[in-house]
Amino acid sequence: MSRRKLLVPEARLAMDQLKAKVSGVSDPKEAKFEAAREQGIPLDNGYNGKLTSEQAGKIGGRMGGNMVKELVRMAQENLNKK
């Protein structure tokens, strides 16, 4: 799993949980594999140097895009409560 440096390191657990939620899995470590399966991309544990840039981008882009959509939805819901 990619470990990008977060501006707020304490948010790691929440971000991992969000990633699992939008991917429809219970374990955040399985999120990228689920996204790859849905796209028909052969992602394995370990080295994946055989993937093209396009394939890798489809996995990350799908997950990131869905996470942003969910965060926006959550923010709108929170604003409507106030």
Side-chain angles (χ1 to χ4, degrees):
M1 184 184 310
S2 174
R3 286 292 177 182
R4 296 188 182 262
K5 186 174 181 179
L6 294 177
L7 292 176
V8 181
E10 295 82 6
R12 171 64 59 200
L13 179 61
M15 293 302 290
D16 284 346
Q17 290 170 343
L18 177 63
K19 184 184 299 184
K21 178 181 176 181
V22 300
S23 297
V25 295
S26 58
D27 183 6
K29 294 177 184 174
E30 287 298 313
K32 66 181 177 182
F33 296 105
E34 179 61 27
R37 274 190 293 275
E38 289 175 2
Q39 298 284 325
I41 298 170
L43 185 67
D44 300 320
N45 278 322
Y47 181 71
N48 284 286
K50 66 188 177 303
L51 295 181
T52 65
S53 296
E54 181 181 4
Q55 290 172 319
K58 283 183 179 179
I59 296 168
R62 180 178 173 94
M63 286 178 25
N66 288 340
M67 289 175 69
V68 170
K69 286 179 189 176
E70 180 63 14
L71 287 170
V72 168
R73 187 200 64 76
M74 291 166 61
Q76 289 174 333
E77 187 177 286
N78 193 25
L79 286 172
N80 290 333
K81 287 181 181 177
K82 292 182 178 184

